[in-house]
Amino acid sequence: MPVEELPLAGRTALVTGVSRRKGIGFAVACELARLGASVCTHDFAPHDADQPWGGDDLDAVAAGVRASLRGDAVAGRVSADLRDPAEVDRLFGTARDLTGAVDVLVCNHARSGGDGSILDMTPEALDAFWQTNTRSTIQLTQRFASQFAAGPGLAAARPGERRARTGPADPDRAPKVVWMTSGQQHGPMRGEVAYATSKAALAGVTATVAAELLDLGVVLNTVDPGPVNTGYLDPGSTDRPLAELDALRAATPFGRWGEPADPARLIGWLVGPAGSWVVGQVLTTDGGFGLQ
């Protein structure tokens, strides 16, 4: 891609949850790199090691992202357990140090597995999913937004109170945030009560946070990628009934699961100038899966 066609040139992105080459996070990081961004990636290998699909070679993951860079863009990598608020702060600080600022934040990380039905729920299970999927996403977004707030930090606000708008008027150069949710708003996710709860919170608060961020000139959208096969739908590594998966896949409009590149292309578009007029939306990219 010629330098003049790199819409993210000169910008720096932090993409979380980039631990596996089959994952959405890796596809997003590579897509943003191909569009010209410098990219700092986050990983947490112990989570993947506990899953049926297993982990990956993190050096190879990082090398794949570096190979996608264009021009004089650079890459960095941070391993962190985002259940720990101090680790969230360390991650963001390291990403900012890569080039001096973070212009794009994609919160792709997620805890999955080890969930259960409503009858299985414990305070510990609910807290673990909340801390990883929801709290850390909001904390990272707060750190990101603070870069663009006047003064030492965000001013306190009462319900309904608005801050004076301080952000740039040019939407094409606006800082961008993308959260990731799931399909919990489209139908039941049996056996995933803690996961669905943590993701539903992000979808539910998108409009509120997007409105507040817009006063700072920051654009937030949330993406539901639909059923994307990152290894958890493969016969050798799935924890779900194969017959049900086969029937479900055959019934999809295109006869296949989503691929990581599918949501990655949408996210690359959203955080570039072309997607700047889309603000505060929960967007589903599922190939029509929800319409079957």
Side-chain angles (χ1 to χ4, degrees):
M1 183 180 291
V3 173
E4 62 271 15
E5 296 180 12
L6 299 176
L8 298 182
R11 295 166 77 78
T12 299
L14 168 58
V15 184
T16 63
V18 186
S19 299
R20 300 167 57 250
R21 285 168 287 181
K22 287 187 175 182
I24 293 174
F26 178 74
V28 170
C30 291
E31 179 70 10
L32 302 191
R34 282 191 290 268
L35 294 174
S38 291
V39 181
C40 182
T41 60
H42 153 266
D43 57 70
F44 184 59
H47 173 270
D48 295 309
D50 287 339
Q51 305 303 319
W53 46 90
D56 199 355
D57 181 340
L58 291 177
D59 289 337
V61 172
V65 175
R66 288 196 302 271
S68 299
L69 295 172
R70 298 292 182 266
D72 58 359
V74 296
R77 172 189 149 205
V78 181
S79 297
D81 183 350
L82 299 186
R83 291 173 297 183
D84 181 349
E87 288 289 275
V88 176
D89 290 339
R90 181 178 68 86
L91 166 62
F92 191 83
T94 303
R96 186 186 54 216
D97 290 345
L98 183 65
T99 62
V102 179
D103 307 289
V104 174
L105 171 64
V106 181
C107 295
N108 169 74
H109 64 282
R111 177 188 178 99
S112 62
D115 207 331
S117 75
I118 188 64
L119 300 177
D120 301 315
M121 287 299 99
T122 64
E124 293 76 16
L126 290 167
D127 285 349
F129 281 86
W130 171 267
Q131 291 164 6
T132 305
N133 298 350
T134 317
R135 189 182 70 187
S136 66
T137 293
I138 293 172
Q139 187 183 0
L140 275 170
T141 304
Q142 187 272 335
R143 290 296 307 274
F144 180 85
S146 293
Q147 299 177 110
F148 312 102
L154 295 174
R158 296 183 295 273
E161 186 176 56
R162 298 189 63 168
R163 292 172 50 86
R165 184 156 294 165
T166 60
D170 180 3
D172 289 353
R173 299 301 297 174
K176 303 290 181 63
V177 181
V178 177
W179 290 352
M180 304 293 284
T181 186
S182 196
Q184 73 287 325
Q185 71 269 32
H186 300 305
M189 298 178 65
R190 295 178 183 273
E192 298 183 84
V193 169
Y195 175 83
T197 298
S198 67
K199 289 296 190 175
L202 292 175
V205 80
T206 292
T208 294
V209 176
E212 294 187 349
L213 292 180
L214 199 57
D215 289 340
L216 301 174
V218 177
V219 171
L220 164 70
N221 288 288
T222 295
V223 170
D224 165 20
V228 174
N229 187 9
T230 59
Y232 81 102
L233 297 172
D234 289 335
S237 54
T238 187
D239 55 358
R240 299 157 195 250
L242 287 179
E244 292 181 15
L245 288 179
D246 289 341
L248 194 57
R249 184 183 64 248
T252 61
F254 294 101
R256 69 166 176 88
W257 302 119
E259 299 170 353
D262 295 322
R265 284 191 293 267
L266 172 61
I267 291 170
W269 179 82
L270 278 174
V271 303
S276 293
W277 214 239
V278 181
V279 185
Q281 302 301 304
V282 179
L283 303 167
T284 297
T285 171
D286 67 357
F289 178 79
L291 301 178
Q292 60 178 335

